[in-house]
Structure formats: structure tokens, C-alpha cells
Amino acid sequence: MSEPRPVETFPTVETWAEAIAARLSETLGAAVRENGRALFAGPGGSTPAPVYRRLAATDLDWSKIAATLVDERYVPETSPESNARLIRDVLLQDKAAAARFIPLYTPEVTVDRAGIVAAKALADAGGRFDAVLLGMGEDGHICSMFPNSPTLKTLLTPTLKPTVLGVPHGRDGAAPTIERLSINLAYLMSAGRVILGLKGAVKRRIFEEQAQGDPRIQPIAALIAAGVPLEVLYTEAS
Ligand SMILES: O=C(O)[C@H](O)[C@@H](O)[C@H](O)[C@H](O)COP(=O)(O)O
């Protein structure tokens, strides 16, 4: 199993967000120069907004860049729970307003059907992410790869092709509280660059614990065991 790169620590949220945005824009810019297009995937949640704001202000040829999500709650964009809403409100602004957005949510179908529709949309957009930003929950989940979820094993199977799966809500109050859609491990294995942004000492400790975990059921361990060159950027500040 490959050893994860050492965690890089930044003194403030500003320097942390600036470093992540700089790396993402470097990779997206190179992909546009080399391939004429680029595909970015990012998370929802409370962590990425400062990164998205800085990335949106970056001078890239955003008309050649498509943005999507690593996971989504199975809700319409009008819902405050929607990750698409975060992307549209924070990332697809400023210079990045010219980028195309590929949603994971599809209205009026089941979450599994929405997964199939999203998988095709991403495949049609090239089926490979040039750059991925990940967040991590305090239960160690990334994307919507939740502990004890019946979908987790399939999401973490490294031999499957890149796809998007529907994730049922947890039973007896377990996470997630609502149905979700998630990319699988294979999408992270084929990505050009994968950055995990961590804020707060609790998440740093959880990351270290998860990195030593069981790759069959712990996503961070699965990423490392699959040889994904994960870059972890951390700030204790919140
Ligand atoms: O839909 C979501 O909630 C996110 O995409 C999710 O996977 C996120 O990355 C982690 O849950 C961390 O969330 P926070 O950044 O809010 O801690």
C-alpha cells in the first residue's frame, strides 16, 4: 500500500484556500492548454466555499471548463441542502461564470435512475476528472461514501469503471440523513489530481486514523491503497 504524501499545514484559512485554489487552477489551466477542455469535481458542505471563491477569480479559459460535484444530496437546486446550489452561488461566479455545470441531481426519477443519468452525463463530458477537490466528514466519509452504507462496498470497489451511484439514506438515524448521489473510487483513481482540504484539528486526527484503516470500508484508506496520489492540505484555523 503506497504511503500518503505528508499532510501540508497552513497557518490560516486564507493561505490554505489560496494554496488549494492555486493548485486546482494550475491543473485545470494545463488541461485546457493540452486537451482544449478540463473537468473539475468538487464537494459540497461547509469547507470548500473559500476555495471556490478564489478559484472563481482565477484567470482561466473557463469557457472550456466544466464543473461538477463529487456528491449531491438528492434534492432540487432550490433546496438549501443542494450542493449544486453551492457550486452555482460560489464557484460559477466572477470569471468562472463562463464554465459549464454538470449536475448530478435529476428531477422526477429515483435516486438510482438519477445516478445512471449523471454517470452518462459525466461520461459524455470525458469520463475523467482533471482535478478533484474533496472534503471529509468527521465520520471519515468523502464524497457520499458513508460508514455502514449498503452502497459503500460498491463505491469503494477499485475494479469498477468510473460511475455515479445512488446512496440510500442511513437507517436508524445513521448518515446520510437524505438520499445522495456519489462518484465512486474509480473516478478518484483516474483523476489527474486529487486534493483533500481539511479544516480543524478534529478532522486532522480523523484523517490520520482513517489512513490506517480498512480499505474495504474506510474511504481514505481505500484511496491510499488504490495508489491515488492524494494531496492533503490542512489548516487548524476554522
Ligand atoms: O454533500 C456533502 O455534505 C459534501 O459533499 C460532503 O461529502 C463533504 O465533503 C463532507 O461531508 C465534509 O463536509 P463539511 O465540509 O461540511 O465538513
Side-chain angles (χ1 to χ4, degrees), residues 31-220:
V32 168
R33 285 191 300 276
E34 288 158 27
N35 309 320
R37 66 180 185 175
L39 183 55
F40 166 73
S46 61
T47 299
V51 175
Y52 288 159
R53 270 193 288 278
R54 286 165 174 81
L55 190 54
T58 307
D59 202 5
L60 292 171
D61 187 350
W62 286 99
S63 67
K64 297 195 173 71
I65 296 173
T68 188
L69 288 157
V70 296
D71 66 343
E72 176 61 285
R73 294 83 179 274
Y74 188 52
V75 295
E77 289 187 19
T78 49
S79 165
E81 290 287 315
S82 166
N83 288 341
R85 184 180 172 137
L86 172 72
I87 293 284
R88 288 196 193 277
D89 290 352
V90 185
L91 177 58
L92 301 183
Q93 300 291 329
D94 198 342
K95 295 188 174 76
R100 179 164 71 98
F101 177 56
I102 303 172
L104 299 188
Y105 171 78
T106 304
E108 295 132 27
V109 292
T110 64
V111 69
D112 291 332
R113 177 77 192 137
I116 293 167
V117 172
K120 179 163 185 333
L122 294 186
D124 291 349
R128 176 185 176 275
F129 300 139
D130 295 289
V132 177
L133 175 61
L134 297 175
M136 187 192 76
E138 293 194 1
D139 58 2
H141 84 263
I142 55 172
C143 307
S144 281
M145 302 170 175
F146 285 90
N148 309 312
S149 162
T151 322
L152 182 66
K153 193 168 177 210
T154 308
L155 284 168
L156 294 185
T157 301
T159 50
L160 294 181
K161 67 180 183 4
T163 190
V164 178
L165 294 179
V167 177
H169 63 72
R171 293 198 182 90
D172 307 327
T177 53
I178 49 178
E179 287 178 317
R180 293 198 174 204
L181 292 153
S182 180
I183 63 168
N184 66 342
L185 174 63
Y187 252 123
L188 300 176
M189 292 168 69
S190 62
R193 184 171 209 170
V194 182
I195 295 176
L196 170 62
L198 294 177
K199 272 201 300 180
V202 170
K203 285 194 178 182
R204 171 71 191 270
R205 176 177 53 75
I206 289 163
F207 169 79
E208 302 293 356
E209 290 166 1
Q210 291 284 319
Q212 305 302 322
D214 180 347
R216 293 169 301 175
I217 55 170
Q218 288 168 285
I220 297 293

